[in-house]
Amino acid sequence: MSLRRCPPFLAVLFALCLGGWPGAGAQPLAPLTLPAGFSSEPVVTGLQYPTTFASLPDGSLLIAEKAGVVRLFKHGVLQPVAFLDIRGRVNSHHDRGLLGLAVDPDFATNGFVYLLYTYDDDDTDDAGPKTARLARYTAQGDMASPASEVVLLGTVVGNSCNDFPAGADCIPSDSESHSVGTLRFAPDGTLFVTSGDGARFDAVDDDALRAQSLDSLAGKVLHITRSGEGVASNPFWNGDARANRSKVWALGLRNPYRFSLRPGTSTPYLGDVGWNTYEEINVALPGANLGWPCYEGPFRQSGYEPKAVCQALYARGPGAVRPPLYVWDHGVGQTATGGGFYTGMAYPETWRGAYFFGDYSQQWIRSLRVDANDQLVPDSVTSFATGVGGLVELGIGPDSNLFFVDILAGELRRIRYTEGNTPPVAVASATPRRGQPPLLVRFSSAGSNDADGDALQYRWDFGDGTPVSTLPGPEHTYAVTGFYVARLTVSDGRGGSHSAAVSVTVGNALPVVTIHSPSQTYRFKVGDVVTYSGSAVDPNEGPIPGDRLRWTITLRHCTSGSCHTHPYSTSTGATGSFTVPDHGDEVHFDIKLTAMNSTGLTSSWMITLDPQLVQVTLQTSPPGLELVFDGTSGPSPRVRPVIVGSTHTLIAPSPQGVFEFREWSDGGAAAHVIQAGSSDASYTAFFEAVAPTECPVGQYRAEYFGNRDLEGSPARVRCEGAPLNNFWATGSPVPEVGPDDFSVRWTGRFYFASSLYFFLAQADDGVRVFVDGSRIIDEWRDQSAMSFVVGRWMTAGEHTVVMEYYEHGGDAVAGLRWTR
């Protein structure tokens, strides 16, 4: 998932992505806020990087953990024994891992459960390119055996899908993000599955172009049978049920790690994590091309624009791509998390039928509405919640409430509404919270309240297996050494409740944790192998052994001051190491060591590592022309701090007006990759002025003549954008001609939809306009500034538009535009 941008796990997943999957370690931006009458409460806690959930027919829940474990929540209790453990097959590095989970509609009779994960073919290369798979498992009672695995997609596995012939049944996971996503059953028993492009998320990568190939499973919405074959009604069915293109439902996606099906039509609605600028909610109609990597949001992606695949797509016109249903830029959020339609009756009418979606990085939930044609209802986008934590899954639970997975807190949570009732607020405290056994603790619920004035009911669970208390301020004696979490739940008698917890340590002081290396003054480079070491001492037990020392490495990726996190790696023992990836430039690592004594009491210490930076300066000659750095376009000069050893894509778009690219100062091609060295560097793209023989579709080839009759060779030729809107007053349009007695011919190819268009020309003096060689405006005479309008029916496709103009004296005005 990109959880970024990175991102759509962290990104954790996704994202992800600039594209990563959101991740653990980030702190909520603000306290949780919900509409009046709503409350959020934990359903399942104590999970390790949960990613998704699914309901069983009896109302129990299965919850997937990123590392490859599926937990069972049954009869209100998280079962101590895993429902399924395939950690030996799952690569959970960075944003990879077990990300998708579905229960067969006939589970009650066949016991089938489906998992979507990155497959680890080589556990000695944790960060290297991987492949992914969709597999089915069969439950027996409350457990399923890894031995029951049947692989449905991704039967071809290895180091990279690029190592196998085109059309192989291989799901790419080359990158540390943008891997697999979600799977959902349609009412007819078929499966929809999403996959990311598997490409780098921090630079232009040709692997992203696989999202446009029907023979690759990358960057797609797939529609398959329960046995993994294509469905005959799919839009690209070729008669071979095992062919990749027969499985494709929609294409052109970057990191669609979360989606749901619209009730009634089974149309996939998905969130696609963007790269540098935009996040998207897309409607994946059959056969839809959703644009990536040629488009990001509604616009062309400048990093991939020069690629032949994208040029061919642009040439088909804007109708070749389905635009996003809704977009937001990175000032609003950075990791689109697709959600689901609310179909229950527990919420007020305002929210029924709405589509809920979120953003992992900014930790909010919004809703929108669509009409019967899958079009956005104007002004329907509404804020629902903020401060929701590490949101990586949002859907409808078995009781018709919204459920969401908070990967940061390790929880599955529920959002409830009680009509006409505001839930109470629980406040718990304890005195003392530390001491030797037997330890008498006085608990207090002081501060707990109900906004409606309802009488509160109390329930204290002391965390040591003893009976609960219903007193507001009970006393309890802890007889056994250990670490305990006591939980207070207050209820208002009308369905509203809330919980708060307080910890108590009996008989032990906290372990003292020390990280010996690396030093906090160390600055890392891409490719560095960072070795870490540490120790811990318990005041009563002495040195804590290595098997109770746990390391958590978290990558924190920031863009323009906004950060998201990716769980990078974990290990056990006094020492360990990790390799610094090429993940972008604003990257930091949090290294945390947690020690646990024999009673289960833990304490932690964390340090943050920063990168070693150098400065890259990009310039053009002549100055001021556009350059693309890692997919983002801007005028030169451009100055970027980058991490030593990182790689970046430089692109010099050409032509730019009358200028065409000639060479880079380092001898590289117009588009090429550089690697940051240990010192500052400067790169200059050299351009030369040439007369273009042809300009791109959507631009004019402008020819300027030093006479009023368009005669002879033009004094200047250049490409100019549309619409034309020139007011030169008494000045010269270009240095090569004077302010009077000149003429210009603009010739361009433009895409039109089938419709009636009105052409508006403005001129002071003469003007003529031609469409496909037919003259539609002929006002070739001296005149003051005038406007001329002509209607013309245009068929769908490209058409040639020519405007000719001459200036005799006075102000010079020349313009042309059209509208449907």
Side-chain angles (χ1 to χ4, degrees):
M1 317 171 178
S2 185
L3 272 161
R4 247 106 278 282
R5 323 115 277 359
C6 70
F9 231 91
L10 298 160
V12 141
L13 285 171
F14 300 173
L16 326 77
C17 205
L18 274 169
W21 166 276
Q27 298 300 317
L29 299 180
L32 174 67
T33 63
L34 289 161
F38 283 91
S39 65
S40 172
E41 60 190 14
V43 177
V44 186
T45 61
L47 300 165
Q48 298 295 317
Y49 291 149
T51 57
T52 187
F53 71 96
S55 301
L56 293 174
D58 65 357
S60 301
L61 295 170
L62 295 179
I63 304 140
E65 295 180 336
K66 183 172 177 286
V69 177
V70 179
R71 305 293 301 275
L72 173 64
F73 182 73
K74 185 175 182 180
H75 302 316
V77 177
L78 183 64
Q79 301 302 300
V81 178
F83 174 84
L84 178 61
D85 186 345
I86 58 167
R87 282 177 290 183
R89 302 175 188 177
V90 174
N91 178 278
S92 61
H93 178 73
H94 209 291
D95 291 349
R96 299 169 178 162
L98 170 56
L99 308 188
L101 165 68
V103 173
D104 194 285
D106 297 324
F107 176 86
T109 56
N110 61 28
F112 290 166
V113 173
Y114 303 77
L115 303 184
L116 188 60
Y117 63 91
T118 296
Y119 177 72
D120 202 339
D121 65 308
D122 180 2
D123 59 9
T124 67
D125 183 17
D126 196 45
K130 300 291 180 182
T131 55
R133 61 173 35 166
L134 167 64
R136 186 188 72 212
Y137 302 83
T138 302
Q140 298 288 339
D142 287 346
M143 296 182 66
S145 169
S148 68
E149 181 178 80
V150 176
V151 179
L152 306 181
L153 288 178
T155 55
V156 176
V157 296
N159 188 54
S160 170
C161 291
N162 295 333
D163 296 339
F164 304 106
D169 178 28
C170 187
I171 305 174
S173 190
D174 299 78
S175 168
E176 298 165 321
S177 188
H178 298 196
S179 182
V180 290
T182 300
L183 54 157
R184 295 277 186 261
F185 272 99
D188 64 0
T190 59
L191 265 171
F192 284 90
V193 184
T194 53
S195 63
D197 64 10
R200 288 184 59 175
F201 44 79
D202 58 334
V204 175
D205 182 357
D206 282 353
D207 278 349
L209 298 171
R210 296 180 297 200
Q212 288 293 320
S213 171
L214 293 175
D215 293 318
S216 171
L217 297 179
K220 304 296 189 300
V221 178
L222 305 173
H223 184 212
I224 59 173
T225 67
R226 297 187 207 193
S227 59
E229 296 181 328
V231 179
S233 59
N234 281 350
F236 305 106
W237 172 266
N238 69 356
D240 180 1
R242 304 306 299 180
N244 284 349
R245 62 180 54 216
S246 291
K247 304 171 186 177
V248 174
W249 177 265
L251 67 154
L253 291 161
R254 184 172 186 262
N255 188 12
Y257 76 91
R258 286 294 174 253
F259 79 94
S260 64
L261 302 179
R262 183 177 185 179
T265 67
S266 295
T267 300
Y269 275 59
L270 57 89
D272 196 15
V273 179
W275 186 8
N276 292 315
T277 310
Y278 292 104
E279 303 299 307
E280 305 177 15
I281 297 297
N282 286 284
V283 180
L285 294 177
N289 188 329
L290 300 169
W292 177 259
C294 306
Y295 291 87
E296 182 182 357
F299 302 107
R300 294 184 181 187
Q301 213 301 317
S302 56
Y304 290 93
E305 188 171 7
K307 301 294 183 181
V309 169
C310 294
Q311 287 298 314
L313 183 61
Y314 303 148
R316 293 166 53 194
V321 171
R322 181 177 178 85
L325 177 73
Y326 178 66
V327 300
W328 60 97
D329 63 32
H330 287 174
V332 177
Q334 293 182 327
T335 312
T337 304
F341 287 87
Y342 184 76
T343 57
M345 299 298 291
Y347 289 3
E349 181 66 31
T350 302
W351 307 103
R352 295 175 193 170
Y355 174 75
F356 288 85
F357 61 98
D359 187 284
Y360 167 83
S361 297
Q362 293 300 308
Q363 304 181 3
W364 51 251
I365 298 173
R366 294 180 178 179
S367 72
L368 58 78
R369 291 186 178 275
V370 291
D371 62 21
N373 298 315
D374 295 303
Q375 298 296 314
L376 181 66
V377 173
D379 302 319
S380 68
V381 179
T382 305
S383 176
F384 181 73
T386 60
V388 295
L391 174 73
V392 296
E393 173 73 285
L394 176 64
I396 308 302
D399 60 0
S400 84
N401 288 297
L402 277 175
F403 279 51
F404 68 92
V405 173
D406 183 346
I407 194 170
L408 305 182
E411 296 179 342
L412 174 65
R413 300 185 66 87
R414 170 174 55 194
I415 297 175
R416 290 204 303 153
Y417 179 80
T418 304
E419 186 173 3
N421 181 44
T422 302
V425 175
V427 178
S429 62
T431 305
R433 293 181 57 187
R434 185 184 305 277
Q436 296 298 317
L439 181 66
L440 176 65
V441 179
R442 297 173 178 84
F443 290 94
S444 174
S445 60
S448 300
N449 64 90
D450 185 88
D452 303 322
D454 297 326
L456 294 180
Q457 302 166 11
Y458 304 89
R459 184 181 187 276
W460 285 93
D461 181 340
F462 300 113
D464 60 354
T466 59
V468 300
S469 171
T470 58
L471 298 175
E475 294 183 350
H476 182 71
T477 299
Y478 290 94
V480 179
T481 295
F483 177 75
Y484 302 94
V485 176
R487 182 173 294 275
L488 166 65
T489 301
V490 295
S491 306
D492 61 8
R494 293 197 290 153
S497 65
H498 185 246
S499 297
V502 61
S503 62
V504 177
T505 302
V506 181
N508 271 299
L510 292 171
V512 177
V513 180
T514 303
I515 294 179
H516 304 300
S517 66
S519 165
Q520 287 191 273
T521 61
Y522 167 74
R523 297 292 180 264
F524 61 81
K525 307 183 297 296
V526 170
D528 279 357
V529 176
V530 179
T531 300
Y532 48 85
S533 64
S535 62
V537 176
D538 183 273
N540 299 314
E541 302 175 7
I544 291 180
D547 62 354
R548 295 207 298 269
L549 297 177
R550 178 176 175 81
W551 297 87
T552 302
I553 314 300
T554 302
L555 184 154
R556 185 156 41 88
H557 185 201
C558 304
T559 303
S560 301
S562 178
C563 300
H564 60 272
T565 58
H566 305 247
Y568 192 74
S569 66
T570 59
S571 67
T572 301
T575 64
S577 65
F578 68 94
T579 302
V580 175
D582 197 349
H583 188 98
D585 297 318
E586 295 183 65
V587 170
H588 312 268
F589 283 97
D590 293 331
I591 301 178
K592 184 171 73 173
L593 174 59
T594 300
M596 181 175 66
N597 67 14
S598 61
T599 66
L601 186 64
T602 64
S603 62
S604 300
W605 190 257
M606 186 177 77
I607 63 173
T608 295
L609 298 185
D610 296 319
Q612 180 180 341
L613 300 176
V614 292
Q615 189 166 277
V616 170
T617 301
L618 305 181
Q619 303 180 82
T620 62
S621 177
L625 299 182
E626 293 285 315
L627 293 174
V628 179
F629 184 85
D630 287 346
T632 301
S633 179
S636 65
R638 303 187 65 188
V639 180
R640 288 284 299 267
V642 300
I643 299 177
V644 174
S646 60
T647 57
H648 305 272
T649 304
L650 307 185
I651 300 176
S654 182
Q656 297 186 46
V658 299
F659 297 103
E660 287 190 355
F661 171 77
R662 188 175 79 242
E663 63 182 354
W664 279 96
S665 56
D666 65 346
H672 70 289
V673 175
I674 62 169
Q675 184 172 33
S678 58
S679 58
D680 295 344
S682 180
Y683 299 85
T684 301
F686 293 94
F687 290 78
E688 59 185 4
V690 296
T693 58
E694 186 176 350
C695 295
V697 174
Q699 294 186 20
Y700 289 101
R701 182 175 186 265
E703 303 170 277
Y704 290 82
F705 298 84
N707 56 71
R708 283 183 283 160
D709 304 311
L710 302 165
E711 292 182 345
S713 298
R716 166 67 73 91
V717 180
R718 66 186 183 188
C719 294
E720 296 182 0
L724 299 175
N725 187 23
N726 298 306
F727 177 67
W728 295 300
T730 58
S732 299
V734 293
E736 291 81 359
V737 303
D740 295 312
D741 297 320
F742 65 84
S743 55
V744 190
R745 178 187 293 116
W746 290 274
T747 304
R749 295 282 294 172
F750 301 93
Y751 179 85
F752 290 82
S754 180
S755 183
L756 176 64
Y757 285 80
F758 290 95
F759 290 80
L760 171 64
Q762 296 170 297
D764 173 352
D765 297 303
V767 61
R768 292 189 293 239
V769 178
F770 304 81
V771 174
D772 295 331
S774 297
R775 187 166 52 204
I776 63 171
I777 295 176
D778 186 5
E779 301 293 340
W780 199 253
R781 63 178 183 273
D782 291 356
Q783 58 195 328
S784 58
M786 299 288 290
S787 297
F788 309 95
V789 179
V790 173
R792 183 179 178 89
W793 181 267
M794 304 293 290
T795 59
E798 287 185 8
H799 296 269
T800 300
V801 178
V802 177
M803 175 169 154
E804 297 177 343
Y805 166 78
Y806 81 81
E807 161 63 11
H808 187 194
D811 287 341
V813 177
L816 177 64
R817 66 181 63 244
W818 50 84
T819 183
R820 295 173 68 174

